[in-house]
């Protein structure tokens, strides 16, 4: 069983990882962002098709988006307000400024994602160029969970995209990479990626059945002459600490506001909350990106699954961090609160392993 080997996991933050139990978004978080209810099985799903350029800066943004599980656009399109995309495709490797008949003869690299948080208005700088100027350049955000990478994908009508979705990528590339929303059958893409799923019947993809990918798998088109700074790929310990403390402060304030006595532990879980004879153990996670997935250790997973423990997961996303102050000042954020949380196997994917060395 993979659980016995894995030392850390990624879990879908809005998936069934709460074990079918109570999920709440606080009033300070965005409402109405959950996928629209499905009325009977459908062969199609809504996709956001995005062309990602090949410049070093754009490829850095791609790696940062994969790392932080977020993507964004500089302007709103009218259809974003009502769209409920289930998947996103970020495509790169082919120039878009050609006619469709020429475009269709090419092959491209696709990064396939599940959309875990719908379009929302950004409240804080997130991307490296935003943080550098302490401004929001990409106000349209959505949360993405990596599913698979597909290389050398045909762009003609016989490829897994079909003509309409393929052309949507091309059009996106001619409009500053702004996403185009299309409906298409996801099954050919899932099959091409080797993901075992029957979309028309299941209408879902189990995270633990997907290969996933990391930012390191995005190869830059050319090596910079000198190491770049501030690209956001090496974690800043001071920034990470500011995010963690702010998320913990928000969680503690929430429980104290409901009459709980809160003790900060850190390990084996973050907050120990008591009220009369009731007890809750709270895991707290914070991010400047979307509430898409969080990293868990094997101890955190096993602790949450222990039936003797009552565990909540408190996630604060879209946190603003002012890097101009000496200690970095964190503020704001949108809350996702999972009560009586127990992560489901389908929503866990191993990110690292313990390897047993051969006998000497």
């Amino acid at each position: 069983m993979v659980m016995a080997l894995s030392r850390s996991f990624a879990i879908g933050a809005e998936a069934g990882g709460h074990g079918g139990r109570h999920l709440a978004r606080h009033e300070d978080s965005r409402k109405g962002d959950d996928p629209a209810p499905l009325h009977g099985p459908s062969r199609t799903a809504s996709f956001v098709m995005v062309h990602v350029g090949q410049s070093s800066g754009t490829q850095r943004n791609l790696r940062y988006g994969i790392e932080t599980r977020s993507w964004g656009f500089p302007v709103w399109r009218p259809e974003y307000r009502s769209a409920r995309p289930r998947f996103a495709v970020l495509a790169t490797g082919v120039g878009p400024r050609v006619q469709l008949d020429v475009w269709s003869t090419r092959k491209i690299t696709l990064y396939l994602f599940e959309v875990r948080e719908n379009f929302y208005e950004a409240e804080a700088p997130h991307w490296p160029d935003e943080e550098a100027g302490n401004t929001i350049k990409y106000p349209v955000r959505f949360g993405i969970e990596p599913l698979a990478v597909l290389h050398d994908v045909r762009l003609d009508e016989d490829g897994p995209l079909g003509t309409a979705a393929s052309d949507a990528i091309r059009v996106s590339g001619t409009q500053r990479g702004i996403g185009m929303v299309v409906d298409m059958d996801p099954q050919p893409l899932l099959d091409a990626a080797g993901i075992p799923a029957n979309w028309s019947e299941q209408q879902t993809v189990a995270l633990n059945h997907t290969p996933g990918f990391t930012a390191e798998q995005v190869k830059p088109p050319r090596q910079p002459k000198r190491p770049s700074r501030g690209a956001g790929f090496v974690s800043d310990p001071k920034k990470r600490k500011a995010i963690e403390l702010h998320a913990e402060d928000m969680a503690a304030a929430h429980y104290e506001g409901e009459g709980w006595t809160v003790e900060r532990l850190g390990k084996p879980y973050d907050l120990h909350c008591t009220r009369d004879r009731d007890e809750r153990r709270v895991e707290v996670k914070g991010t400047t990106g979307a509430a898409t997935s969080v990293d868990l250790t094997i101890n955190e997973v096993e602790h949450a699954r222990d039936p003797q423990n009552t565990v909540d997961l408190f996630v604060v996303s879209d946190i603003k961090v002012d890097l101009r102050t000496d200690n970095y000042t964190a503020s704001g954020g949108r809350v996702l609160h999972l009560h009586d949380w127990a992560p489901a196997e389908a929503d866990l994917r191993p990110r690292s392993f313990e390897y047993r060395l051969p006998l000497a």
Side-chain angles (χ1 to χ4, degrees), residues 21-36:
R21 293 178 253 180
H22 182 58
L23 180 154
R25 287 186 180 276
H26 290 181
E27 291 183 359
D28 57 349
S29 65
R30 181 177 48 88
K31 294 181 174 64
D33 60 345
D34 294 322

Side-chain angles (χ1 to χ4, degrees), residues 61-88:
N61 277 348
L62 175 58
R63 293 193 292 273
Y64 192 77
I66 294 169
E67 184 179 80
T68 61
R69 306 295 198 267
S70 302
W71 199 250
F73 305 128
V75 297
W76 282 89
R77 289 177 61 89
E79 62 266 31
Y80 293 169
R81 302 291 182 182
S82 59
R84 294 293 181 268
R86 300 296 300 274
F87 298 96

Side-chain angles (χ1 to χ4, degrees), residues 333-352:
R334 303 159 62 247
V335 173
L336 173 66
H337 195 184
L338 305 183
H339 297 266
D340 301 332
W341 166 66
E345 190 72 25
D347 297 319
L348 292 169
R349 183 168 57 196
R351 298 279 289 273
S352 64

